[in-house]
Amino acid sequence: MSAKPILNALEATSRNFQQAARLLGIDSKLQRSLLIPFREIKVECTIPKDDGSLVSYIGYRVQHDNARGPMKGGIRYHHEVNIDEVNALAQLMSWKTAVVDLPYGGAKGGIGCNPKDLSTSELERLTRVFTQKIHDLIGIHTDVPAPDMGTNAQTMAWIYDEYSKFHGHSPAIVTGKPLDLRGSLGRESATGRGVVIATEALLAEHGKSLKNLTFVIQGFGNVGSWVARLLHEKGAKIIAVSDITGAIKNPNGIDIPKLLKHKEKTRSLKDFPGGDDLDPTELLVHECDVLIPSALGGVINREIAKDVKAKFIVEAANHPTDPEADEELSKKGVVVLPDIYANAGGVTVSYFEWVQNIQGFMWDEKRVNCELQKYMTKAFHDIKDKCKTFDCNLRMGAFTLGVQRVARATLLRGWEG
């Protein structure tokens, strides 16, 4: 992953914040206070490798804002983790949790390592040392981590176990846990399901429904495959899909359950009998009604934006559209549903997991999905209200909504300017 999309994500986040603050009339002192993180943590994590040699890594946790509640955000294991990236992502979590009205602030963390180079026991030792270093700075009502790039439910299980050694049984300390350790039903499909709910809300606003439209999905990992599966179940026609292994198209609609089986068997989209190969570079500019990028950031730049034929773009990935592309798409009248709202299903169901853990009472999957529908639908209407108030696009509607909620909480709790 190049540094360019990260830099763009950093720039775009501050640019969007500044624009939202201007529209809201937030004074410069409060703006500065909202941008400065509550706390930045940097720790050294030294572990013995399997061969007995010692190796040191740097771990980070940025706690951005706690005006609306405990801070929430993922922990990523990636060789390019750095404090600037973690800062930008923590800030983005503050606005994202506020957009869907969760009682949280934003945080983000990570360790600068390549998880592919570490054995399972080395990863466990590293996770436990990191937890030992930060256990008194996180907490059920302080800061609640979750999985992110390079981490998973097993990583969360280790954090939960290590934290509980110091603080007693504490399942609510992390979300995204395995089901056997009080993880939530519906968590695995949550981000994808949230994207579909958001898409339905957007299309309903334009008097359209899923059934009569064509969809193209970039990325077929956890999020992309769930989006495809759920859209297919609802009768939508998915005409092209891609992932790291290649791209396929079928103008009559791809049979998604068959494609999922094919991918499980061959670990690839290639040679799928129910579609033709497509040049992956052409996928984003393929003829369709709705384009759903759900892979990496920075994939739609100005050049690609000029050739995009979709009428709607739903950002399932984080920051797939760079700011120059945004301008280009808006000139063409393409409606973009921003990532800060569209992919918030994951953190919303993380909130439900935390609530269940605190209550000591687990919900069935139907209730999880029903509550998710409620939160995502309400958030969409809240964003639309802001778009009307400020006469702005959906991205700025979402940012003004998020920033205003955090600013209000800050002022109500007693901020001296």
Side-chain angles (χ1 to χ4, degrees), residues 9-29:
L10 258 167
E11 284 170 4
T13 303
S14 347
R15 198 187 298 190
N16 288 326
F17 168 79
Q18 244 96 44
Q19 203 181 329
R22 214 170 35 244
L23 284 173
L24 293 161
I26 294 173
D27 75 60
S28 58
K29 284 181 192 160

mmCIF file with all atom_site columns, all heavy atoms in Angstrom, residues 9-29:
data_model
loop_
_atom_site.group_PDB
_atom_site.id
_atom_site.type_symbol
_atom_site.label_atom_id
_atom_site.label_alt_id
_atom_site.label_comp_id
_atom_site.label_asym_id
_atom_site.label_entity_id
_atom_site.label_seq_id
_atom_site.pdbx_PDB_ins_code
_atom_site.Cartn_x
_atom_site.Cartn_y
_atom_site.Cartn_z
_atom_site.occupancy
_atom_site.B_iso_or_equiv
_atom_site.pdbx_formal_charge
_atom_site.auth_seq_id
_atom_site.auth_comp_id
_atom_site.auth_asym_id
_atom_site.auth_atom_id
_atom_site.pdbx_PDB_model_num
ATOM 1   N N   . ALA A 1 9  ? -5.689  10.635 2.397  1.00 0.00 ? 9  ALA A N   1
ATOM 2   C CA  . ALA A 1 9  ? -6.720  10.434 3.421  1.00 0.00 ? 9  ALA A CA  1
ATOM 3   C C   . ALA A 1 9  ? -6.531  11.451 4.541  1.00 0.00 ? 9  ALA A C   1
ATOM 4   O O   . ALA A 1 9  ? -7.493  12.025 5.043  1.00 0.00 ? 9  ALA A O   1
ATOM 5   C CB  . ALA A 1 9  ? -6.634  9.020  3.971  1.00 0.00 ? 9  ALA A CB  1
ATOM 6   N N   . LEU A 1 10 ? -5.268  11.683 4.905  1.00 0.00 ? 10 LEU A N   1
ATOM 7   C CA  . LEU A 1 10 ? -4.941  12.677 5.929  1.00 0.00 ? 10 LEU A CA  1
ATOM 8   C C   . LEU A 1 10 ? -5.409  14.059 5.500  1.00 0.00 ? 10 LEU A C   1
ATOM 9   O O   . LEU A 1 10 ? -6.110  14.755 6.231  1.00 0.00 ? 10 LEU A O   1
ATOM 10  C CB  . LEU A 1 10 ? -3.421  12.736 6.104  1.00 0.00 ? 10 LEU A CB  1
ATOM 11  C CG  . LEU A 1 10 ? -2.813  12.036 7.309  1.00 0.00 ? 10 LEU A CG  1
ATOM 12  C CD1 . LEU A 1 10 ? -1.317  11.938 7.135  1.00 0.00 ? 10 LEU A CD1 1
ATOM 13  C CD2 . LEU A 1 10 ? -3.143  12.777 8.583  1.00 0.00 ? 10 LEU A CD2 1
ATOM 14  N N   . GLU A 1 11 ? -4.992  14.428 4.280  1.00 0.00 ? 11 GLU A N   1
ATOM 15  C CA  . GLU A 1 11 ? -5.337  15.759 3.752  1.00 0.00 ? 11 GLU A CA  1
ATOM 16  C C   . GLU A 1 11 ? -6.848  15.912 3.624  1.00 0.00 ? 11 GLU A C   1
ATOM 17  O O   . GLU A 1 11 ? -7.411  16.933 3.997  1.00 0.00 ? 11 GLU A O   1
ATOM 18  C CB  . GLU A 1 11 ? -4.690  15.977 2.382  1.00 0.00 ? 11 GLU A CB  1
ATOM 19  C CG  . GLU A 1 11 ? -3.204  16.266 2.455  1.00 0.00 ? 11 GLU A CG  1
ATOM 20  C CD  . GLU A 1 11 ? -2.554  16.239 1.071  1.00 0.00 ? 11 GLU A CD  1
ATOM 21  O OE1 . GLU A 1 11 ? -3.290  16.076 0.078  1.00 0.00 ? 11 GLU A OE1 1
ATOM 22  O OE2 . GLU A 1 11 ? -1.335  16.370 1.001  1.00 0.00 ? 11 GLU A OE2 1
ATOM 23  N N   . ALA A 1 12 ? -7.481  14.877 3.074  1.00 0.00 ? 12 ALA A N   1
ATOM 24  C CA  . ALA A 1 12 ? -8.922  14.954 2.830  1.00 0.00 ? 12 ALA A CA  1
ATOM 25  C C   . ALA A 1 12 ? -9.690  15.069 4.139  1.00 0.00 ? 12 ALA A C   1
ATOM 26  O O   . ALA A 1 12 ? -10.650 15.844 4.235  1.00 0.00 ? 12 ALA A O   1
ATOM 27  C CB  . ALA A 1 12 ? -9.392  13.734 2.047  1.00 0.00 ? 12 ALA A CB  1
ATOM 28  N N   . THR A 1 13 ? -9.262  14.325 5.169  1.00 0.00 ? 13 THR A N   1
ATOM 29  C CA  . THR A 1 13 ? -9.948  14.386 6.462  1.00 0.00 ? 13 THR A CA  1
ATOM 30  C C   . THR A 1 13 ? -9.877  15.796 7.032  1.00 0.00 ? 13 THR A C   1
ATOM 31  O O   . THR A 1 13 ? -10.883 16.356 7.451  1.00 0.00 ? 13 THR A O   1
ATOM 32  C CB  . THR A 1 13 ? -9.336  13.376 7.459  1.00 0.00 ? 13 THR A CB  1
ATOM 33  O OG1 . THR A 1 13 ? -9.425  12.079 6.881  1.00 0.00 ? 13 THR A OG1 1
ATOM 34  C CG2 . THR A 1 13 ? -10.068 13.370 8.786  1.00 0.00 ? 13 THR A CG2 1
ATOM 35  N N   . SER A 1 14 ? -8.665  16.409 7.031  1.00 0.00 ? 14 SER A N   1
ATOM 36  C CA  . SER A 1 14 ? -8.546  17.771 7.579  1.00 0.00 ? 14 SER A CA  1
ATOM 37  C C   . SER A 1 14 ? -9.300  18.763 6.713  1.00 0.00 ? 14 SER A C   1
ATOM 38  O O   . SER A 1 14 ? -9.939  19.670 7.222  1.00 0.00 ? 14 SER A O   1
ATOM 39  C CB  . SER A 1 14 ? -7.100  18.228 7.718  1.00 0.00 ? 14 SER A CB  1
ATOM 40  O OG  . SER A 1 14 ? -6.227  17.183 7.580  1.00 0.00 ? 14 SER A OG  1
ATOM 41  N N   . ARG A 1 15 ? -9.242  18.567 5.391  1.00 0.00 ? 15 ARG A N   1
ATOM 42  C CA  . ARG A 1 15 ? -9.941  19.481 4.483  1.00 0.00 ? 15 ARG A CA  1
ATOM 43  C C   . ARG A 1 15 ? -11.458 19.433 4.736  1.00 0.00 ? 15 ARG A C   1
ATOM 44  O O   . ARG A 1 15 ? -12.123 20.458 4.829  1.00 0.00 ? 15 ARG A O   1
ATOM 45  C CB  . ARG A 1 15 ? -9.635  19.095 3.025  1.00 0.00 ? 15 ARG A CB  1
ATOM 46  C CG  . ARG A 1 15 ? -9.947  20.226 2.042  1.00 0.00 ? 15 ARG A CG  1
ATOM 47  C CD  . ARG A 1 15 ? -9.804  19.771 0.608  1.00 0.00 ? 15 ARG A CD  1
ATOM 48  N NE  . ARG A 1 15 ? -8.443  19.353 0.279  1.00 0.00 ? 15 ARG A NE  1
ATOM 49  C CZ  . ARG A 1 15 ? -8.052  19.092 -0.977 1.00 0.00 ? 15 ARG A CZ  1
ATOM 50  N NH1 . ARG A 1 15 ? -8.909  19.195 -1.975 1.00 0.00 ? 15 ARG A NH1 1
ATOM 51  N NH2 . ARG A 1 15 ? -6.826  18.719 -1.225 1.00 0.00 ? 15 ARG A NH2 1
ATOM 52  N N   . ASN A 1 16 ? -11.977 18.206 4.866  1.00 0.00 ? 16 ASN A N   1
ATOM 53  C CA  . ASN A 1 16 ? -13.414 18.054 5.121  1.00 0.00 ? 16 ASN A CA  1
ATOM 54  C C   . ASN A 1 16 ? -13.811 18.620 6.483  1.00 0.00 ? 16 ASN A C   1
ATOM 55  O O   . ASN A 1 16 ? -14.857 19.238 6.625  1.00 0.00 ? 16 ASN A O   1
ATOM 56  C CB  . ASN A 1 16 ? -13.814 16.572 5.040  1.00 0.00 ? 16 ASN A CB  1
ATOM 57  C CG  . ASN A 1 16 ? -13.786 16.052 3.613  1.00 0.00 ? 16 ASN A CG  1
ATOM 58  O OD1 . ASN A 1 16 ? -14.082 16.782 2.676  1.00 0.00 ? 16 ASN A OD1 1
ATOM 59  N ND2 . ASN A 1 16 ? -13.427 14.794 3.446  1.00 0.00 ? 16 ASN A ND2 1
ATOM 60  N N   . PHE A 1 17 ? -12.945 18.404 7.490  1.00 0.00 ? 17 PHE A N   1
ATOM 61  C CA  . PHE A 1 17 ? -13.229 18.952 8.823  1.00 0.00 ? 17 PHE A CA  1
ATOM 62  C C   . PHE A 1 17 ? -13.279 20.475 8.759  1.00 0.00 ? 17 PHE A C   1
ATOM 63  O O   . PHE A 1 17 ? -14.207 21.097 9.280  1.00 0.00 ? 17 PHE A O   1
ATOM 64  C CB  . PHE A 1 17 ? -12.169 18.510 9.838  1.00 0.00 ? 17 PHE A CB  1
ATOM 65  C CG  . PHE A 1 17 ? -12.267 19.269 11.142 1.00 0.00 ? 17 PHE A CG  1
ATOM 66  C CD1 . PHE A 1 17 ? -13.237 18.925 12.078 1.00 0.00 ? 17 PHE A CD1 1
ATOM 67  C CD2 . PHE A 1 17 ? -11.432 20.352 11.414 1.00 0.00 ? 17 PHE A CD2 1
ATOM 68  C CE1 . PHE A 1 17 ? -13.362 19.641 13.272 1.00 0.00 ? 17 PHE A CE1 1
ATOM 69  C CE2 . PHE A 1 17 ? -11.555 21.067 12.597 1.00 0.00 ? 17 PHE A CE2 1
ATOM 70  C CZ  . PHE A 1 17 ? -12.510 20.711 13.531 1.00 0.00 ? 17 PHE A CZ  1
ATOM 71  N N   . GLN A 1 18 ? -12.267 21.081 8.105  1.00 0.00 ? 18 GLN A N   1
ATOM 72  C CA  . GLN A 1 18 ? -12.196 22.543 8.034  1.00 0.00 ? 18 GLN A CA  1
ATOM 73  C C   . GLN A 1 18 ? -13.440 23.123 7.345  1.00 0.00 ? 18 GLN A C   1
ATOM 74  O O   . GLN A 1 18 ? -14.026 24.094 7.804  1.00 0.00 ? 18 GLN A O   1
ATOM 75  C CB  . GLN A 1 18 ? -10.936 22.978 7.270  1.00 0.00 ? 18 GLN A CB  1
ATOM 76  C CG  . GLN A 1 18 ? -9.944  23.752 8.128  1.00 0.00 ? 18 GLN A CG  1
ATOM 77  C CD  . GLN A 1 18 ? -8.853  22.883 8.706  1.00 0.00 ? 18 GLN A CD  1
ATOM 78  O OE1 . GLN A 1 18 ? -8.303  22.049 8.003  1.00 0.00 ? 18 GLN A OE1 1
ATOM 79  N NE2 . GLN A 1 18 ? -8.541  23.075 9.975  1.00 0.00 ? 18 GLN A NE2 1
ATOM 80  N N   . GLN A 1 19 ? -13.829 22.472 6.242  1.00 0.00 ? 19 GLN A N   1
ATOM 81  C CA  . GLN A 1 19 ? -15.008 22.945 5.497  1.00 0.00 ? 19 GLN A CA  1
ATOM 82  C C   . GLN A 1 19 ? -16.279 22.832 6.348  1.00 0.00 ? 19 GLN A C   1
ATOM 83  O O   . GLN A 1 19 ? -17.100 23.751 6.383  1.00 0.00 ? 19 GLN A O   1
ATOM 84  C CB  . GLN A 1 19 ? -15.162 22.129 4.210  1.00 0.00 ? 19 GLN A CB  1
ATOM 85  C CG  . GLN A 1 19 ? -15.959 22.855 3.143  1.00 0.00 ? 19 GLN A CG  1
ATOM 86  C CD  . GLN A 1 19 ? -16.104 22.001 1.881  1.00 0.00 ? 19 GLN A CD  1
ATOM 87  O OE1 . GLN A 1 19 ? -15.218 21.210 1.572  1.00 0.00 ? 19 GLN A OE1 1
ATOM 88  N NE2 . GLN A 1 19 ? -17.202 22.157 1.167  1.00 0.00 ? 19 GLN A NE2 1
ATOM 89  N N   . ALA A 1 20 ? -16.412 21.711 7.061  1.00 0.00 ? 20 ALA A N   1
ATOM 90  C CA  . ALA A 1 20 ? -17.585 21.509 7.916  1.00 0.00 ? 20 ALA A CA  1
ATOM 91  C C   . ALA A 1 20 ? -17.600 22.542 9.047  1.00 0.00 ? 20 ALA A C   1
ATOM 92  O O   . ALA A 1 20 ? -18.641 23.124 9.360  1.00 0.00 ? 20 ALA A O   1
ATOM 93  C CB  . ALA A 1 20 ? -17.578 20.091 8.487  1.00 0.00 ? 20 ALA A CB  1
ATOM 94  N N   . ALA A 1 21 ? -16.430 22.781 9.653  1.00 0.00 ? 21 ALA A N   1
ATOM 95  C CA  . ALA A 1 21 ? -16.335 23.741 10.764 1.00 0.00 ? 21 ALA A CA  1
ATOM 96  C C   . ALA A 1 21 ? -16.704 25.146 10.292 1.00 0.00 ? 21 ALA A C   1
ATOM 97  O O   . ALA A 1 21 ? -17.353 25.909 11.006 1.00 0.00 ? 21 ALA A O   1
ATOM 98  C CB  . ALA A 1 21 ? -14.924 23.725 11.340 1.00 0.00 ? 21 ALA A CB  1
ATOM 99  N N   . ARG A 1 22 ? -16.299 25.459 9.051  1.00 0.00 ? 22 ARG A N   1
ATOM 100 C CA  . ARG A 1 22 ? -16.627 26.784 8.470  1.00 0.00 ? 22 ARG A CA  1
ATOM 101 C C   . ARG A 1 22 ? -18.140 26.921 8.296  1.00 0.00 ? 22 ARG A C   1
ATOM 102 O O   . ARG A 1 22 ? -18.743 27.924 8.671  1.00 0.00 ? 22 ARG A O   1
ATOM 103 C CB  . ARG A 1 22 ? -15.895 26.942 7.135  1.00 0.00 ? 22 ARG A CB  1
ATOM 104 C CG  . ARG A 1 22 ? -15.465 28.376 6.856  1.00 0.00 ? 22 ARG A CG  1
ATOM 105 C CD  . ARG A 1 22 ? -14.527 28.556 5.672  1.00 0.00 ? 22 ARG A CD  1
ATOM 106 N NE  . ARG A 1 22 ? -14.738 27.681 4.547  1.00 0.00 ? 22 ARG A NE  1
ATOM 107 C CZ  . ARG A 1 22 ? -13.845 26.784 4.141  1.00 0.00 ? 22 ARG A CZ  1
ATOM 108 N NH1 . ARG A 1 22 ? -12.715 26.627 4.795  1.00 0.00 ? 22 ARG A NH1 1
ATOM 109 N NH2 . ARG A 1 22 ? -14.088 26.035 3.093  1.00 0.00 ? 22 ARG A NH2 1
ATOM 110 N N   . LEU A 1 23 ? -18.761 25.875 7.721  1.00 0.00 ? 23 LEU A N   1
ATOM 111 C CA  . LEU A 1 23 ? -20.218 25.900 7.515  1.00 0.00 ? 23 LEU A CA  1
ATOM 112 C C   . LEU A 1 23 ? -20.954 26.025 8.850  1.00 0.00 ? 23 LEU A C   1
ATOM 113 O O   . LEU A 1 23 ? -21.977 26.702 8.952  1.00 0.00 ? 23 LEU A O   1
ATOM 114 C CB  . LEU A 1 23 ? -20.681 24.618 6.805  1.00 0.00 ? 23 LEU A CB  1
ATOM 115 C CG  . LEU A 1 23 ? -20.424 24.496 5.300  1.00 0.00 ? 23 LEU A CG  1
ATOM 116 C CD1 . LEU A 1 23 ? -20.787 23.098 4.815  1.00 0.00 ? 23 LEU A CD1 1
ATOM 117 C CD2 . LEU A 1 23 ? -21.223 25.534 4.512  1.00 0.00 ? 23 LEU A CD2 1
ATOM 118 N N   . LEU A 1 24 ? -20.425 25.366 9.885  1.00 0.00 ? 24 LEU A N   1
ATOM 119 C CA  . LEU A 1 24 ? -21.083 25.370 11.193 1.00 0.00 ? 24 LEU A CA  1
ATOM 120 C C   . LEU A 1 24 ? -20.772 26.626 12.006 1.00 0.00 ? 24 LEU A C   1
ATOM 121 O O   . LEU A 1 24 ? -21.369 26.844 13.065 1.00 0.00 ? 24 LEU A O   1
ATOM 122 C CB  . LEU A 1 24 ? -20.645 24.130 12.000 1.00 0.00 ? 24 LEU A CB  1
ATOM 123 C CG  . LEU A 1 24 ? -21.118 22.771 11.466 1.00 0.00 ? 24 LEU A CG  1
ATOM 124 C CD1 . LEU A 1 24 ? -20.268 21.640 12.046 1.00 0.00 ? 24 LEU A CD1 1
ATOM 125 C CD2 . LEU A 1 24 ? -22.589 22.543 11.793 1.00 0.00 ? 24 LEU A CD2 1
ATOM 126 N N   . GLY A 1 25 ? -19.801 27.414 11.529 1.00 0.00 ? 25 GLY A N   1
ATOM 127 C CA  . GLY A 1 25 ? -19.421 28.637 12.253 1.00 0.00 ? 25 GLY A CA  1
ATOM 128 C C   . GLY A 1 25 ? -18.701 28.350 13.566 1.00 0.00 ? 25 GLY A C   1
ATOM 129 O O   . GLY A 1 25 ? -18.845 29.081 14.545 1.00 0.00 ? 25 GLY A O   1
ATOM 130 N N   . ILE A 1 26 ? -17.917 27.278 13.589 1.00 0.00 ? 26 ILE A N   1
ATOM 131 C CA  . ILE A 1 26 ? -17.148 26.948 14.806 1.00 0.00 ? 26 ILE A CA  1
ATOM 132 C C   . ILE A 1 26 ? -15.912 27.841 14.872 1.00 0.00 ? 26 ILE A C   1
ATOM 133 O O   . ILE A 1 26 ? -15.173 27.941 13.893 1.00 0.00 ? 26 ILE A O   1
ATOM 134 C CB  . ILE A 1 26 ? -16.731 25.460 14.791 1.00 0.00 ? 26 ILE A CB  1
ATOM 135 C CG1 . ILE A 1 26 ? -17.973 24.568 14.887 1.00 0.00 ? 26 ILE A CG1 1
ATOM 136 C CG2 . ILE A 1 26 ? -15.758 25.140 15.917 1.00 0.00 ? 26 ILE A CG2 1
ATOM 137 C CD1 . ILE A 1 26 ? -17.699 23.086 14.705 1.00 0.00 ? 26 ILE A CD1 1
ATOM 138 N N   . ASP A 1 27 ? -15.688 28.507 16.014 1.00 0.00 ? 27 ASP A N   1
ATOM 139 C CA  . ASP A 1 27 ? -14.543 29.444 16.064 1.00 0.00 ? 27 ASP A CA  1
ATOM 140 C C   . ASP A 1 27 ? -13.212 28.697 16.070 1.00 0.00 ? 27 ASP A C   1
ATOM 141 O O   . ASP A 1 27 ? -13.143 27.504 16.392 1.00 0.00 ? 27 ASP A O   1
ATOM 142 C CB  . ASP A 1 27 ? -14.667 30.416 17.248 1.00 0.00 ? 27 ASP A CB  1
ATOM 143 C CG  . ASP A 1 27 ? -14.349 29.773 18.576 1.00 0.00 ? 27 ASP A CG  1
ATOM 144 O OD1 . ASP A 1 27 ? -13.215 29.292 18.744 1.00 0.00 ? 27 ASP A OD1 1
ATOM 145 O OD2 . ASP A 1 27 ? -15.243 29.740 19.449 1.00 0.00 ? 27 ASP A OD2 1
ATOM 146 N N   . SER A 1 28 ? -12.150 29.406 15.713 1.00 0.00 ? 28 SER A N   1
ATOM 147 C CA  . SER A 1 28 ? -10.865 28.764 15.431 1.00 0.00 ? 28 SER A CA  1
ATOM 148 C C   . SER A 1 28 ? -10.271 28.075 16.663 1.00 0.00 ? 28 SER A C   1
ATOM 149 O O   . SER A 1 28 ? -9.599  27.055 16.552 1.00 0.00 ? 28 SER A O   1
ATOM 150 C CB  . SER A 1 28 ? -9.870  29.779 14.864 1.00 0.00 ? 28 SER A CB  1
ATOM 151 O OG  . SER A 1 28 ? -9.721  30.833 15.783 1.00 0.00 ? 28 SER A OG  1
ATOM 152 N N   . LYS A 1 29 ? -10.541 28.622 17.869 1.00 0.00 ? 29 LYS A N   1
ATOM 153 C CA  . LYS A 1 29 ? -9.990  27.998 19.085 1.00 0.00 ? 29 LYS A CA  1
ATOM 154 C C   . LYS A 1 29 ? -10.633 26.628 19.330 1.00 0.00 ? 29 LYS A C   1
ATOM 155 O O   . LYS A 1 29 ? -9.957  25.653 19.650 1.00 0.00 ? 29 LYS A O   1
ATOM 156 C CB  . LYS A 1 29 ? -10.219 28.897 20.291 1.00 0.00 ? 29 LYS A CB  1
ATOM 157 C CG  . LYS A 1 29 ? -9.276  30.077 20.341 1.00 0.00 ? 29 LYS A CG  1
ATOM 158 C CD  . LYS A 1 29 ? -9.559  30.907 21.570 1.00 0.00 ? 29 LYS A CD  1
ATOM 159 C CE  . LYS A 1 29 ? -8.825  32.247 21.486 1.00 0.00 ? 29 LYS A CE  1
ATOM 160 N NZ  . LYS A 1 29 ? -9.446  33.223 22.388 1.00 0.00 ? 29 LYS A NZ  1
#
